[in-house]
Amino acid sequence: MTSQLAPLPVVIPLSVAAILAGANKIVPRRVADGAAFLASASVLGICLELMRMAARQPLEYWFGGWTPRAGVALGILFSIDTFGAGLASFASLLVIAAFIFSWHYFDSVGTHFHVLMLVFLAAMCGFSLTGDLFNMFVWFELMSACAFTLCGYKVEEKGPLQGALNFAITNTIAAFVVLTGIALLYGHTGALNLAQIGRALGGDSGPLVVTAFVFIMAGFFVKAAIVPFHFWLADAHAVAPTPVCILFSGVMVELGLYAAARVYWSAMDGPLAPHRPALTGLLLTVGTMTAILGGVMCFGQRHLKRLLAYSTISHMGLMLIGFALLRPDALAGVALYVVGHGLVKAALFIGSGILLHRLATVDEFELRGRACDLYATGIIWIFAGLGLAGLPPFASFLGEAAIEESAQKAGQGWIWIVFFLSAMLTAGAVFRVGGRVFRGWGPIEDSGPEGAKKIEEGPETSGAGSREHRIPAVMFGPAAALAILALAIGLAPGVRLAAQAGANRMADAAGYQAMVLDHASLPINPPPVERAFPTSSVGRAMAAALLALALAGLSLSPYWPKKKSVFRPLKAGMAGLRQLHSGHVGDYVALLTLGVAALGAALSLLIKLGF
């Protein structure tokens, strides 16, 4: 089934961006705001309609009408299923929130911000909808180019420049790694279309195919900030303007994991089927490391944007665990978790942006008790923190419970422990900030030799730091709306079934190949039966949220034993982790290279040992 709407999510933002770029000197700022908002809203509406249509039958759009002949695809394809269209819709929603929040931002750059954001949106939509491996790479690099530029917005300052360079260099190397993997597959199969690659590979799982797979996964894992490829993320988030952070943590890093899942399920599931246990074991290990390291680093931060950035790393580890199970029901859980996490994380970043606008700092210690009069912002902060902890009925809980249930069926029942620890550490850090900043709890502190160092943060808005100014509704509104939406999605009937149906479609590699290459229609499967989650999942999620609150309370109390000898090994370990995250791009490149080699060696060893 085809739809003429398919190219519009890319065409509309690129066209508006071109007009705004050409008329930069004559278009008033508010006209640019309105045009950018309307373009994003149009894209959201179109993507939602595409998602509705794709729920019955996946859509195809061959640019120029170059459809496959005799199973050979030469044209460029948009292959649209509910996951792809849903991800494009989600990206559009966050871009709208960013545009609304940025009403008081970027007073001196004309329409450049709007142009970059619209190109960013077009790239995210193109990436989510494409059915070609090389075009996936191209869209991601277009997205990355915009992200590098937006990250270094305050280019006259040392911090943003360093963060943007670290971001650009590591991710450009990742692009080279992905491109190498694509070249290997193209040389081996003569195809760039994902369906054609999958059919050409068949059951071929030789060394070249495994090597190409490792390169592609490693490259996209850099984009997804998976350990040990994550070092760039906190530096970039700490210096990027708040509206940009909404997209970075809300959807951009998730797209890296989506790319890995799309490539695996569309092209590599068949060849790697004999090695599933090895692949699952390796990805579960990496996901667990990512979740725990991100959680520990998150709890040890005092700079709010870095704290939220490390929280994102931890949650990316949880999403990778869901992908690692290589099961459709777990894939459905990951999709729900992506939405739930993205909404509450965007709300939290907006909360930090409000603090920066009103109080001119995002340092937790300096903010102690200074936001006691920001009642609404404090309520939203804690509310979003509960969503981050996966408390029922937030959408993040639906995803977490689905992944845990799938893990139980796969004989990996221990996974709930990782979710539990991650929720306790990341939500505990958010609750601690809430208590210290919005209520003034906890002692007056400064950084010690082993503590998190203060990072200077320049103002992002005109009039920042003036308590005379009220917080504009365009700042507070998006945060409230996103946090409430995270709860509403969790309560909406049929969400789990829609996610499960979408996951079943995405995991059906043979059906996908027949649809793309043979013009076959996919059978309409009966809807899956919705079942209540086990009571144990609800109990664990509530316990994690309560323990996160308890951990936050203990860390703000006089009983926090940070000077006791029992904590010395933990302090030494934290100091070592901070030294590892040095901010030097040379260190990051070396670790990235080591990580690619380690990932390939580990997978090869596991396959050779017959796991």
Side-chain angles (χ1 to χ4, degrees):
M1 195 165 75
T2 185
S3 171
Q4 300 305 312
L5 293 176
L8 294 183
V10 174
V11 172
I12 290 175
L14 286 181
S15 301
V16 176
I19 293 171
L20 291 179
N24 178 45
K25 294 185 179 178
I26 59 174
V27 173
R29 167 63 192 270
R30 294 310 173 205
V31 173
D33 287 336
F37 174 83
L38 289 175
S40 306
S42 302
V43 172
L44 174 60
I46 292 169
C47 289
L48 288 173
E49 173 62 15
L50 289 173
M51 186 169 67
R52 187 193 67 79
M53 297 168 66
R56 290 182 51 82
Q57 188 74 214
L59 306 173
E60 294 178 332
Y61 184 87
W62 292 92
F63 287 84
W66 288 46
T67 56
R69 305 289 175 82
V72 177
L74 294 179
I76 296 174
L77 169 67
F78 269 5
S79 179
I80 305 170
D81 58 11
T82 50
F83 273 15
L87 202 51
S89 304
F90 187 57
S92 307
L93 176 67
L94 294 187
V95 169
I96 291 171
F99 274 133
I100 295 174
F101 179 75
S102 62
W103 190 262
H104 290 270
Y105 273 71
F106 310 108
D107 295 330
S108 61
V109 296
T111 62
H112 293 163
F113 170 71
H114 307 81
V115 171
L116 287 169
M117 290 285 280
L118 287 171
V119 176
F120 198 172
L121 173 60
M124 288 191 287
C125 291
F127 176 84
S128 302
L129 303 181
T130 187
D132 296 282
L133 183 55
F134 184 73
N135 285 314
M136 183 180 282
F137 165 79
V138 171
W139 288 120
F140 215 125
E141 290 317 297
L142 178 60
M143 189 193 326
S144 298
C146 297
F148 304 154
T149 310
L150 289 166
C151 179
Y153 158 69
K154 293 183 283 187
V155 72
E156 69 280 0
E157 298 176 17
K158 179 182 175 182
L161 187 61
Q162 181 180 2
L165 284 174
N166 287 353
F167 182 15
I169 292 172
T170 53
N171 278 260
T172 301
I173 293 174
F176 174 76
V177 173
V178 171
L179 194 58
T180 303
I182 293 173
L184 290 174
L185 280 183
Y186 181 65
H188 190 59
T189 64
L192 290 173
N193 182 281
L194 284 168
Q196 191 176 342
I197 291 173
R199 181 171 287 181
L201 289 177
D204 182 359
S205 59
L208 187 143
V209 175
V210 173
T211 303
F213 176 75
V214 168
F215 276 133
I216 292 172
M217 289 297 114
F220 284 133
F221 282 176
V222 175
K223 312 282 187 182
I226 299 297
V227 170
F229 310 116
H230 67 287
F231 292 94
W232 62 271
L233 186 135
D235 293 345
H237 281 59
V239 299
T242 300
V244 180
C245 289
I246 294 172
L247 300 183
F248 280 8
S249 261
V251 68
M252 187 186 74
V253 291
E254 286 83 352
L255 287 175
L257 191 58
Y258 170 79
R262 175 64 74 184
V263 171
Y264 175 82
W265 287 111
S266 299
M268 307 298 285
D269 181 41
L272 295 178
H275 309 307
R276 275 190 177 186
L279 187 57
T280 294
L282 177 60
L283 294 180
L284 283 179
T285 303
V286 175
T288 301
M289 290 170 54
T290 304
I292 300 302
L293 186 143
V296 170
M297 289 297 292
C298 171
F299 199 80
Q301 302 301 311
R302 58 183 283 184
H303 186 279
L304 299 193
K305 286 186 177 179
R306 290 184 72 87
L307 182 150
L308 296 175
Y310 280 112
S311 162
T312 297
I313 293 173
S314 180
H315 289 90
M316 287 306 300
L318 301 181
M319 295 175 206
L320 178 60
I321 286 174
F323 168 57
L325 295 171
L326 304 179
R327 294 168 55 93
D329 47 359
L331 189 62
V334 173
L336 293 169
Y337 202 89
V338 165
V339 174
H341 168 262
L343 290 172
V344 296
K345 186 57 65 65
L348 288 168
F349 265 112
I350 292 176
S352 69
I354 291 173
L355 291 173
L356 184 58
H357 170 75
R358 180 70 181 272
L359 304 169
T361 181
V362 286
D363 185 277
E364 180 186 346
F365 293 168
E366 289 188 354
L367 284 168
R368 178 181 175 276
R370 293 178 59 194
C372 290
D373 57 336
L374 302 180
Y375 300 109
T377 306
I379 291 172
I380 291 297
W381 184 273
I382 298 300
F383 187 75
L386 293 172
L388 201 66
L391 186 72
F394 280 93
S396 51
F397 165 73
L398 293 185
E400 176 182 333
I403 294 171
E404 290 179 359
E405 190 177 55
S406 177
Q408 192 71 36
K409 295 176 183 174
Q412 305 286 352
W414 56 272
I415 280 174
W416 71 268
I417 300 173
V418 184
F419 276 85
F420 193 92
L421 292 175
S422 173
M424 197 173 66
L425 289 169
T426 57
V430 169
F431 294 149
R432 184 196 68 208
V433 170
R436 195 190 302 275
V437 173
F438 294 101
R439 303 310 307 157
W441 294 341
I444 298 174
E445 293 194 49
D446 198 358
S447 62
E450 74 288 346
K453 295 180 181 178
K454 178 183 176 183
I455 299 174
E456 297 294 340
E457 179 80 23
E460 293 184 342
T461 54
S462 57
S466 174
R467 300 186 69 87
E468 307 267 330
H469 293 177
R470 297 174 61 85
I471 297 174
V474 293
M475 284 189 166
F476 175 76
L482 293 173
I484 293 172
L485 185 58
L487 184 70
I489 290 176
L491 291 169
V495 171
R496 285 178 55 198
L497 296 182
Q500 186 61 59
N504 292 339
R505 287 282 192 207
M506 186 169 173
D508 182 9
Y512 176 72
Q513 292 161 13
M515 181 192 74
V516 172
L517 301 176
D518 306 328
H519 312 290
S521 295
L522 298 183
I524 299 176
N525 299 319
V529 178
E530 187 166 17
R531 292 176 290 104
F533 286 119
T535 308
S536 57
S537 294
V538 179
R540 285 197 292 263
M542 296 183 69
L546 288 173
L547 283 179
L549 284 167
L551 182 62
L554 179 62
S555 66
L556 293 172
S557 74
Y559 303 104
W560 183 244
K562 64 180 182 180
K563 295 183 179 178
K564 301 292 185 183
S565 57
V566 69
F567 262 56
R568 287 174 186 167
L570 295 179
K571 288 181 179 179
M574 182 59 77
L577 286 176
R578 288 204 173 96
Q579 288 181 352
L580 194 63
H581 297 74
S582 62
H584 299 298
V585 69
D587 295 346
Y588 294 176
V589 172
L591 290 166
L592 189 158
T593 307
L594 182 64
V596 175
L599 191 67
L603 183 58
S604 300
L605 181 63
L606 289 172
I607 290 175
K608 192 172 183 62
L609 293 176
F611 281 93

